[in-house]
Amino acid sequence: MSGRVEGKVAFITGAARGQGRSHAITLAQEGADIIGVDLCAQIGSVPYPMATPEDLAQTVKEVEAAGRRIVATDADVRDYDALKQALDDGVAQLGQLDIVSANAGIVSFGRAEELAEQTWRDVIDVDLTGEWHAAKAAIPHLRDGGRGGSIILTSSDAGLKASQNLAHYVAAKHGVIGLMRTLALELAPDFIRVNALAPTTVDTLMVMNPATYRLFRPDLKNPTADDMAGPATALNVLPIPWVEPVDISNALLFLASDQARYITGVALPVDAGAAIK
Ligand SMILES: NC(=O)c1ccc[n+]([C@@H]2O[C@H](COP(=O)([O-])OP(=O)(O)OC[C@H]3O[C@@H](n4cnc5c(N)ncnc54)[C@H](O)[C@@H]3O)[C@@H](O)[C@H]2O)c1
């Protein structure tokens, strides 16, 4: 099957690398043009290197190699005006909007009582408020199009259950599910569907870094990805440590496509069964 989003335009936040880049390429391969934004800079409380302008340029290259157009902009999902401007410019160039992937996110770690104020705020601002900003900027374009639409918010297994050392992230990702359900109610009359993805550990630089290896293996001095694989596997039901970005993209593609035309208000785990554990 191909062309499942032929002729549509998708807005993707966090498009420079990881899942966002994979979403952009997957949707482009299935016929969509892309409006991509990314911060392309570091946030001080984040304990791993974030994406760079070169990463976003690579996404542009790969979308164009798939034969589709892309408008890519450095923008911060915390800054509503800048995000809206980037989206408005993209829609002006590509002519319409049909699909939204609110995917940009960060993570950091610490016991709830030890999290610094700024660390808490950064995660809530990017992972929850940033997804609201993406939806808020997109809704008028989707309504104007009169063709309905599909908004997909990226939550997490941490949006469905508790997890130690992640109080701010768990709060933000639970909040994303509440936001998704409310948007689904409010936008249903316009046939704009709103759903969420809840991945288990995904093989991206958000987790493939020394800070996360140490979280999983505090018993080791210099743990590696291999050392993390055992405890990561223990989170899932299927005997795998993590899924690949394309596994999340395939679920996103389904929710974005007309195959999911009557699915709204759903939090879809793509999690090797972690949510039932
Ligand atoms: N990797 C995992 O294990 C995992 C699991 C469940 C959910 N998630 C979620 O998936 C989403 C994608 O993460 P990923 O795994 O691809 O990680 P990643 O770090 O590779 O990608 C995240 C992207 O978001 C961008 N970004 C961060 N803050 C931003 C901001 N303020 N404005 C614009 N862009 C910003 C980053 O620069 C980066 O390109 C996130 O929402 C994350 O919370 C990840």
Side-chain angles (χ1 to χ4, degrees):
M1 203 176 337
S2 66
R4 277 181 281 177
V5 287
E6 190 70 45
K8 299 195 189 262
V9 176
F11 174 44
I12 302 172
T13 68
R17 74 176 195 193
Q19 295 175 56
R21 179 189 287 166
S22 173
H23 295 346
I25 295 166
T26 299
L27 292 175
Q29 287 169 340
E30 293 281 335
D33 290 332
I34 307 296
I35 301 166
V37 300
D38 202 289
L39 179 62
C40 297
Q42 194 63 31
I43 294 175
S45 62
V46 173
Y48 53 87
M50 291 171 59
T52 62
E54 292 72 33
D55 289 325
L56 189 56
Q58 182 63 27
T59 298
V60 168
K61 227 165 119 181
E62 294 193 46
V63 167
E64 288 175 347
R68 303 309 309 191
R69 294 179 295 170
I70 176 167
V71 178
T73 311
D74 293 6
D76 188 337
V77 297
R78 295 171 295 181
D79 179 347
Y80 177 69
D81 291 337
L83 189 68
K84 180 178 180 318
Q85 190 63 56
L87 176 59
D88 290 352
D89 289 348
V91 173
Q93 290 182 55
L94 298 178
Q96 65 189 68
L97 184 68
D98 306 281
I99 297 159
V100 178
S101 163
N103 159 83
I106 57 171
V107 74
S108 48
F109 313 112
R111 309 289 299 173
E113 75 276 19
E114 290 165 1
L115 288 171
E117 292 292 308
Q118 192 61 47
T119 304
W120 172 276
R121 255 196 304 271
D122 287 344
V123 164
I124 300 294
D125 288 352
V126 175
D127 293 6
L128 178 55
T129 309
E131 299 209 5
W132 169 59
H133 282 165
K136 181 178 168 178
I139 288 164
H141 291 294
L142 296 173
R143 279 219 172 95
D144 286 354
R147 298 177 305 280
S150 175
I151 299 176
I152 298 129
L153 307 183
T154 298
S155 179
S156 167
D157 251 3
L160 302 174
K161 53 197 238 194
S163 191
Q164 298 196 55
N165 296 301
L166 288 168
H168 51 347
Y169 190 79
V170 167
K173 294 298 189 181
H174 274 71
V176 164
I177 305 245
L179 172 65
M180 174 276 288
R181 291 189 176 126
T182 301
L183 288 171
L185 269 184
E186 292 183 356
L187 301 177
D190 290 306
F191 247 96
I192 298 167
R193 299 179 294 103
V194 189
N195 295 288
L197 295 167
T200 185
T201 310
V202 187
D203 181 7
T204 69
L205 292 171
M206 177 180 277
V207 294
M208 294 302 169
N209 63 71
T212 311
Y213 304 155
R214 277 194 296 276
L215 181 77
F216 276 86
R217 295 301 303 268
D219 54 312
L220 298 180
K221 194 152 177 256
N222 290 308
T224 63
D226 281 349
D227 296 321
M228 184 176 76
T233 302
L235 295 175
N236 300 331
V237 175
L238 298 175
I240 54 161
W242 41 72
V243 301
E244 295 303 322
V246 72
D247 296 306
I248 314 305
S249 300
N250 287 335
L252 177 112
L253 171 63
F254 168 67
L255 290 173
S257 77
D258 291 340
Q259 289 182 313
R261 63 186 176 162
Y262 298 138
I263 299 178
T264 195
V266 164
L268 178 62
V270 186
D271 71 345
I276 56 167
K277 207 153 185 188

Short mmCIF file of all heavy atoms in Angstrom, two decimals, residues 90-114:
data_model
loop_
_atom_site.label_atom_id
_atom_site.label_comp_id
_atom_site.label_asym_id
_atom_site.label_seq_id
_atom_site.Cartn_x
_atom_site.Cartn_y
_atom_site.Cartn_z
N GLY A 90 4.54 28.17 6.43
CA GLY A 90 4.53 26.87 5.75
C GLY A 90 3.22 26.65 5.00
O GLY A 90 3.22 26.18 3.85
N VAL A 91 2.11 27.00 5.64
CA VAL A 91 0.81 26.81 4.98
C VAL A 91 0.70 27.74 3.77
O VAL A 91 0.19 27.35 2.71
CB VAL A 91 -0.35 27.04 5.98
CG1 VAL A 91 -1.70 27.03 5.25
CG2 VAL A 91 -0.32 25.97 7.07
N ALA A 92 1.25 28.97 3.92
CA ALA A 92 1.21 29.91 2.78
C ALA A 92 1.98 29.32 1.59
O ALA A 92 1.57 29.46 0.44
CB ALA A 92 1.80 31.25 3.20
N GLN A 93 3.09 28.63 1.87
CA GLN A 93 3.90 28.08 0.78
C GLN A 93 3.34 26.78 0.22
O GLN A 93 3.42 26.54 -0.98
CB GLN A 93 5.33 27.82 1.26
CG GLN A 93 6.11 29.12 1.52
CD GLN A 93 7.54 28.83 1.94
OE1 GLN A 93 8.28 28.13 1.25
NE2 GLN A 93 7.94 29.36 3.08
N LEU A 94 2.78 25.94 1.09
CA LEU A 94 2.35 24.60 0.64
C LEU A 94 0.85 24.52 0.40
O LEU A 94 0.35 23.52 -0.10
CB LEU A 94 2.79 23.54 1.65
CG LEU A 94 4.31 23.44 1.84
CD1 LEU A 94 4.68 22.39 2.89
CD2 LEU A 94 5.01 23.10 0.52
N GLY A 95 0.12 25.57 0.81
CA GLY A 95 -1.26 25.72 0.36
C GLY A 95 -2.35 25.17 1.26
O GLY A 95 -3.53 25.49 1.06
N GLN A 96 -2.02 24.33 2.25
CA GLN A 96 -3.07 23.74 3.07
C GLN A 96 -2.44 23.05 4.28
O GLN A 96 -1.22 22.97 4.40
CB GLN A 96 -3.85 22.69 2.27
CG GLN A 96 -3.02 21.48 1.87
CD GLN A 96 -3.74 20.56 0.90
OE1 GLN A 96 -3.97 20.94 -0.24
NE2 GLN A 96 -4.11 19.38 1.38
N LEU A 97 -3.30 22.57 5.18
CA LEU A 97 -2.83 21.76 6.31
C LEU A 97 -3.84 20.66 6.60
O LEU A 97 -5.06 20.91 6.62
CB LEU A 97 -2.65 22.63 7.58
CG LEU A 97 -2.07 21.86 8.77
CD1 LEU A 97 -0.62 21.45 8.52
CD2 LEU A 97 -2.15 22.70 10.05
N ASP A 98 -3.35 19.43 6.81
CA ASP A 98 -4.23 18.29 7.05
C ASP A 98 -3.87 17.48 8.29
O ASP A 98 -4.73 16.87 8.91
CB ASP A 98 -4.17 17.34 5.84
CG ASP A 98 -4.48 18.05 4.54
OD1 ASP A 98 -5.67 18.28 4.27
OD2 ASP A 98 -3.52 18.41 3.82
N ILE A 99 -2.57 17.41 8.59
CA ILE A 99 -2.07 16.50 9.63
C ILE A 99 -1.15 17.28 10.56
O ILE A 99 -0.35 18.11 10.11
CB ILE A 99 -1.25 15.36 8.97
CG1 ILE A 99 -2.14 14.52 8.05
CG2 ILE A 99 -0.57 14.48 10.03
CD1 ILE A 99 -1.35 13.72 7.01
N VAL A 100 -1.26 17.02 11.87
CA VAL A 100 -0.36 17.64 12.84
C VAL A 100 0.26 16.54 13.69
O VAL A 100 -0.44 15.70 14.25
CB VAL A 100 -1.14 18.61 13.77
CG1 VAL A 100 -0.19 19.21 14.81
CG2 VAL A 100 -1.83 19.70 12.95
N SER A 101 1.59 16.55 13.79
CA SER A 101 2.30 15.68 14.74
C SER A 101 3.00 16.57 15.76
O SER A 101 4.02 17.19 15.46
CB SER A 101 3.33 14.82 13.98
OG SER A 101 4.26 14.27 14.90
N ALA A 102 2.40 16.66 16.95
CA ALA A 102 3.01 17.43 18.04
C ALA A 102 3.95 16.49 18.76
O ALA A 102 3.55 15.73 19.65
CB ALA A 102 1.93 17.97 18.97
N ASN A 103 5.21 16.51 18.36
CA ASN A 103 6.17 15.46 18.73
C ASN A 103 7.35 15.97 19.53
O ASN A 103 7.98 15.21 20.27
CB ASN A 103 6.63 14.78 17.41
CG ASN A 103 7.95 14.05 17.55
OD1 ASN A 103 7.99 12.91 18.01
ND2 ASN A 103 9.05 14.71 17.19
N ALA A 104 7.66 17.26 19.43
CA ALA A 104 8.87 17.79 20.10
C ALA A 104 8.80 17.49 21.59
O ALA A 104 7.75 17.63 22.22
CB ALA A 104 8.98 19.29 19.88
N GLY A 105 9.93 17.07 22.14
CA GLY A 105 9.93 16.77 23.57
C GLY A 105 11.33 16.70 24.13
O GLY A 105 12.31 16.57 23.39
N ILE A 106 11.40 16.81 25.45
CA ILE A 106 12.67 16.65 26.17
C ILE A 106 12.42 15.76 27.39
O ILE A 106 11.27 15.55 27.79
CB ILE A 106 13.24 18.00 26.66
CG1 ILE A 106 12.23 18.73 27.55
CG2 ILE A 106 13.67 18.87 25.49
CD1 ILE A 106 12.78 19.97 28.24
N VAL A 107 13.51 15.28 27.96
CA VAL A 107 13.39 14.55 29.23
C VAL A 107 14.60 14.89 30.11
O VAL A 107 15.65 15.31 29.61
CB VAL A 107 13.28 13.03 28.99
CG1 VAL A 107 14.62 12.42 28.59
CG2 VAL A 107 12.73 12.31 30.22
N SER A 108 14.40 14.78 31.40
CA SER A 108 15.49 14.89 32.37
C SER A 108 15.06 14.04 33.55
O SER A 108 13.93 13.54 33.57
CB SER A 108 15.73 16.36 32.76
OG SER A 108 14.51 16.99 33.09
N PHE A 109 15.94 13.86 34.52
CA PHE A 109 15.66 12.87 35.57
C PHE A 109 15.89 13.43 36.96
O PHE A 109 16.74 14.31 37.15
CB PHE A 109 16.57 11.65 35.40
CG PHE A 109 16.62 11.13 33.99
CD1 PHE A 109 17.78 11.24 33.24
CD2 PHE A 109 15.49 10.58 33.40
CE1 PHE A 109 17.83 10.78 31.93
CE2 PHE A 109 15.54 10.12 32.10
CZ PHE A 109 16.71 10.22 31.36
N GLY A 110 15.16 12.90 37.93
CA GLY A 110 15.40 13.26 39.33
C GLY A 110 14.21 12.86 40.18
O GLY A 110 13.07 12.76 39.67
N ARG A 111 14.45 12.58 41.46
CA ARG A 111 13.35 12.31 42.38
C ARG A 111 12.48 13.56 42.47
O ARG A 111 12.97 14.68 42.39
CB ARG A 111 13.87 11.97 43.77
CG ARG A 111 14.94 10.89 43.82
CD ARG A 111 14.44 9.51 43.51
NE ARG A 111 13.44 9.04 44.45
CZ ARG A 111 12.76 7.88 44.30
NH1 ARG A 111 12.98 7.12 43.23
NH2 ARG A 111 11.88 7.49 45.19
N ALA A 112 11.17 13.37 42.65
CA ALA A 112 10.23 14.51 42.60
C ALA A 112 10.66 15.63 43.53
O ALA A 112 10.63 16.81 43.15
CB ALA A 112 8.82 14.03 42.95
N GLU A 113 11.10 15.27 44.75
CA GLU A 113 11.41 16.33 45.71
C GLU A 113 12.74 17.01 45.42
O GLU A 113 13.06 18.04 46.02
CB GLU A 113 11.39 15.78 47.14
CG GLU A 113 12.59 14.92 47.54
CD GLU A 113 12.47 13.46 47.12
OE1 GLU A 113 11.67 13.14 46.22
OE2 GLU A 113 13.21 12.62 47.70
N GLU A 114 13.49 16.46 44.47
CA GLU A 114 14.81 17.02 44.18
C GLU A 114 14.86 17.80 42.86
O GLU A 114 15.87 18.44 42.55
CB GLU A 114 15.85 15.89 44.13
CG GLU A 114 16.14 15.30 45.49
CD GLU A 114 16.87 13.96 45.41
OE1 GLU A 114 17.17 13.50 44.29
OE2 GLU A 114 17.12 13.38 46.49
#
